[in-house]
Amino acid sequence: MLNKSLDKVLRTTKIHLGRLELLGVKTVKDFLLYFPRTYNDTREFTKIAEIRTDEVCTIKGQLTSLFNIRTKTGKKITRGVLTDETGTIGVVWFNQPHLTRMLPRKSEIILSGKIKFAFGKITLQSPSYELIKKEEEQIHSGRIVPVYHETEGINSKWIREKLKPLIDYWIDLFEEYIPEDILKEHNLIDFKTAIRCVHFPDDPELLEKSKKRLAFDELFLLQLKVLQKRWYWQNINKKDSKNIEIKKEVLKDCIDNLPFTLTNAQNKTLKEILKDLGKPFPMSRLLQGDVGSGKTIVAALATLNVVKNGYQVAIMAPTEILAKQHYQGFIKTLKAYSLNIQFIAGSTSAKQKDEIIRQMKTGTVDIMIGTHALIQERIGFRNLGLAIIDEQHRFGVKQREILKSYDSPHLLAMTATPIPRTLAITVYGDQDLSLIDELPKGRQKIITRLVPEKKRIEAYRWIEDQVKKGRQAFIICPLINESDVLEVKSVLKEYAYLSEHIFPDLKVGLLHGKLKQEEKDRIMEEFNDNKLNILVSTSVVEVGIDIPNASIVLIEGTERFGLAQLHQFRGRVGRGEHQSYCFLFTGSLSEEGRIRMKSMEKYTCGFKLAEIDLEIRGPGEIYGIRQSGIPDLKMASLTDLETIEKARKSAQKIIDKDPKLENYPVLAEKITEYEEVYVQD
Ligand code: ADP
Ligand code: MG
């Protein structure tokens, strides 16, 4: 019933209905769930004796006179006098001559508007009005008044007028769907009251309670969904679970032969992963660690362990450069074990691909490393034991799901984008977390400076100096859209300028997304071998690239990048033993930009920056929330840790009892609204 189309219940024009639809409102339910954007508290009437100019005020009084006049230029003006027990004030409206017919005289009326001082007089200008009818609830003034997102032809007043009777009539059809004990535990009001009062609150306290309740609902459903998903992943796939033992000797041997000792955090996370692999259901774990914290080696050791159990491992990275780097890195780290390690990406020829796919299917490939080419249709594995996704936030949910669908392997996702705890338990709530919270010893703090334009040349000389000491530098230019020819041109220009005029004696390379793969490989190799001193690049170097000898990164157009991304760029240096530097240049700086750049200078910890980013920009852009399919939350905030934790605890309780929600049909139905998001099973 609540899904009744509005054209059946609203007396209004087709045009208005169309406009409502633009606001996403088609049914009665949509309308009732179209929550206010904010509120005006007009509970206190202003006495006329106390008004001040330029203030918005709401006055209750009587219109003691009201008439239309026409100015010399033909404008229609309505003038009146409003009187209350403390005094009188002139009122004026423009171009609304019908008001003289609509507004009563000598009976109470409420006018709300701005007080202006003009032509030597204080007047109330173009106020909105509300007539006082006995027995009827006031909805536009004299209370906490809801203000909605508006669109052309649909303003808040219109919405209030149409919505109020609908709420009164339909509200009882809303069912409470959150179990009583949960409501009690968190001191939440009932659903109906919350809906009614979020629109037309009786008092501020009830308004707060309504918002709190509705915010809880959103987070609770979200948690229910991720926890159910987690339950399915662990239980439905139980029967296919790969039992993987810990091969202590092999691991010890490999670790002993590394050129470094593992950090405690690396050891700890490796243990967590190995333990999961032995469990009777597939792992779903997110390995989080700041840039440079050494996630790759942890993944490589887990890989070795799985391969030694006779299973295949797939590793997927978001860019070909990064996938190639992993390929080379794995070959080096694991060379003692004569494994068949293969690489596949967009640039792999069809013939090679066929051969690799054949080997994957017959099981002769032990480790398959590549880009999303790994999840093309024709690809299959003989016995995939572990799937690793590097920089997981760069992939869509779909891509992750496809990789998982090859025979339900254990899943290890990695990300260098630090995820605040709030998001870790919502957006990534179906995964267990491992955190590498320590950098390898001897890493120095990267010195970061926002450089004013007039010091540009000095910065270049600094780079030259460093290069003479044997170091290397990245210069990163913004390129928002890889297909944008103009922007590629701008990098080409910058490259030409730098190589000819600024660093004529140095070897400068250029890297951008439009280059052929072989070309990219060649350049990365040259840079890696220190045959290039400086690499001018677009954001293709953003993730993962590991060149320990590089010690300077200069970033142009920083206003175009988010903090998380800047932090990623910066993470390209400071990976070896050399003191490293990050120079930030900016075209223009808004107030927000200034805060962001100051944060870059001040904090080297990705988590702190991620939190700041989250506050400034919201989670959508940073974490690809939209592509991860989290629905737009209307009331809840993804930064509200307290409510998120409460919601998670309650949701967990239900899933523990009844994972399929068989006894909670309404809840089960509610979370199907999230279904398009999580294509599972
Ligand atoms: P990320 O976590 O950003 O993926 P990487 O795995 O690329 O980081 O590691 C960064 C660099 O640190 C690599 O050169 C790697 O060899 C090195 N590294 C990893 N672990 C250690 C360690 N325990 N001690 C010293 N260097 C390490
Ligand atoms: Mg990495």
Side-chain angles (χ1 to χ4, degrees), residues 291-292 294-296 322 325-326 390-391 414 416 543-545 572 575:
V291 269
K295 294 181 289 294
T296 317
L322 188 53
Q325 182 182 290
H326 283 331
D390 195 15
E391 311 290 350
M414 305 199 283
V543 290
I545 303 301
R572 296 311 110 226
R575 298 183 149 242

Side-chain angles (χ1 to χ4, degrees), residues 266-460:
Q266 283 171 320
N267 272 317
K268 182 191 72 187
T269 49
L270 177 63
K271 250 190 213 138
E272 286 167 353
I273 293 165
L274 293 175
K275 199 167 157 203
D276 270 8
L277 293 175
K279 285 185 184 160
F281 50 81
M283 164 171 83
S284 179
R285 189 169 279 278
L286 178 61
L287 176 59
Q288 249 192 114
D290 210 345
V291 269
S293 62
K295 294 181 289 294
T296 317
I297 188 64
V298 175
L301 289 165
T303 298
L304 178 62
N305 192 68
V306 171
V307 172
K308 282 293 166 193
N309 274 267
Y311 290 103
Q312 293 172 295
V313 176
I315 296 143
M316 183 162 76
T319 66
E320 192 153 343
I321 294 181
L322 188 53
K324 198 39 119 9
Q325 182 182 290
H326 283 331
Y327 173 63
Q328 287 156 352
F330 272 58
I331 287 182
K332 206 162 121 194
T333 311
L334 304 177
K335 66 173 175 295
Y337 307 96
S338 50
L339 304 175
N340 182 354
I341 305 178
Q342 295 290 342
F343 175 79
I344 193 166
S347 67
T348 313
S349 73
K351 206 171 133 218
Q352 270 173 305
K353 252 185 208 162
D354 286 345
E355 174 54 23
I356 292 171
I357 291 172
R358 197 187 59 75
Q359 290 188 26
M360 283 162 79
K361 285 183 176 161
T362 56
T364 39
V365 177
D366 298 307
I367 304 174
M368 198 59 239
I369 301 179
T371 58
H372 49 262
L374 262 175
I375 49 172
Q376 293 169 100
E377 269 163 51
R378 294 178 301 136
I379 286 186
F381 294 86
R382 196 172 78 82
N383 56 357
L384 185 62
L386 171 65
I388 299 176
I389 303 178
D390 195 15
E391 311 290 350
Q392 95 149 345
H393 63 285
R394 292 296 217 84
F395 290 99
V397 176
K398 270 257 172 58
Q399 291 165 310
R400 245 179 285 163
E401 298 294 337
I402 295 173
L403 192 54
K404 274 161 68 168
S405 72
Y406 293 129
D407 202 17
S408 348
H410 292 285
L411 188 80
L412 177 66
M414 305 199 283
T415 183
T417 301
I419 300 164
R421 190 169 151 66
T422 49
L423 288 189
I425 54 182
T426 49
V427 183
Y428 301 104
D430 58 318
Q431 298 171 316
D432 291 305
L433 285 184
S434 282
L435 178 62
I436 304 189
D437 52 3
E438 134 191 55
L439 294 178
K441 280 198 194 64
R443 291 279 166 79
Q444 305 200 20
K445 196 174 150 179
I446 301 167
I447 297 174
T448 304
R449 290 287 170 266
L450 177 62
V451 185
E453 210 39 55
K454 59 176 192 275
K455 296 220 165 151
R456 180 178 280 279
I457 294 299
E458 249 174 79
Y460 287 149

Side-chain angles (χ1 to χ4, degrees), residues 78-299:
T78 308
R79 282 194 181 283
V81 175
L82 184 69
T83 306
D84 74 359
E85 65 279 13
T86 67
T88 62
I89 182 171
V91 189
V92 60
W93 287 273
F94 304 97
N95 278 321
Q96 300 184 61
H98 60 279
L99 287 176
T100 49
R101 270 176 286 121
M102 303 222 6
L103 301 181
R105 267 143 273 198
K106 309 262 156 87
S107 74
E108 296 262 62
I109 186 171
I110 297 165
L111 297 183
S112 183
K114 206 167 196 178
I115 307 290
K116 289 271 169 106
F117 185 75
F119 306 111
K121 269 199 299 197
I122 289 180
T123 25
L124 183 56
Q125 251 183 32
S126 307
S128 63
Y129 59 88
E130 184 170 17
L131 313 181
I132 302 179
K133 294 183 200 141
K134 295 253 149 48
E135 288 114 44
E136 229 177 71
E137 199 180 335
Q138 277 164 232
I139 57 171
H140 303 302
S141 55
R143 64 171 308 139
I144 299 173
V145 183
V147 179
Y148 298 88
H149 280 287
E150 303 177 347
T151 180
E152 200 200 331
I154 301 232
N155 60 24
S156 291
K157 189 165 184 188
W158 189 92
I159 293 177
R160 288 193 290 266
E161 246 149 43
K162 298 294 178 199
L163 191 53
K164 183 67 171 66
L166 283 192
I167 293 178
D168 292 343
Y169 189 81
W170 294 92
I171 190 79
D172 280 331
L173 290 186
F174 276 103
E175 274 179 78
E176 182 56 70
Y177 59 92
I178 297 203
E180 183 72 38
D181 54 324
I182 294 180
L183 294 181
K184 269 225 180 85
E185 184 184 346
H186 302 303
N187 197 12
L188 297 167
I189 61 171
D190 68 280
F191 191 52
K192 277 181 218 173
T193 310
I195 296 284
R196 188 173 59 78
C197 292
V198 81
H199 291 288
F200 296 103
D202 303 336
D203 56 58
E205 203 182 319
L206 209 46
L207 174 58
E208 275 323 298
K209 282 188 172 161
S210 307
K211 287 200 216 162
K212 186 176 149 198
R213 159 70 209 250
L214 296 171
F216 180 87
D217 283 26
E218 290 177 343
L219 294 170
F220 175 71
L221 292 173
L222 190 58
Q223 287 300 333
L224 216 48
K225 188 68 213 175
V226 290
L227 289 172
Q228 190 185 49
K229 183 185 175 195
R230 183 186 150 91
W231 183 88
Y232 272 106
W233 175 244
Q234 297 189 342
N235 287 272
I236 301 299
N237 296 317
K238 224 174 192 166
K239 57 182 186 319
D240 313 317
S241 164
K242 319 272 167 9
N243 190 358
I244 287 169
E245 302 168 14
I246 302 179
K247 302 280 182 193
K248 272 207 179 108
E249 268 98 76
V250 188
L251 287 174
K252 185 173 179 304
D253 172 67
C254 186
I255 292 171
D256 287 346
N257 284 302
L258 289 174
F260 46 74
T261 36
L262 294 181
T263 61
N264 289 335
Q266 283 171 320
N267 272 317
K268 182 191 72 187
T269 49
L270 177 63
K271 250 190 213 138
E272 286 167 353
I273 293 165
L274 293 175
K275 199 167 157 203
D276 270 8
L277 293 175
K279 285 185 184 160
F281 50 81
M283 164 171 83
S284 179
R285 189 169 279 278
L286 178 61
L287 176 59
Q288 249 192 114
D290 210 345
V291 269
S293 62
K295 294 181 289 294
T296 317
I297 188 64
V298 175

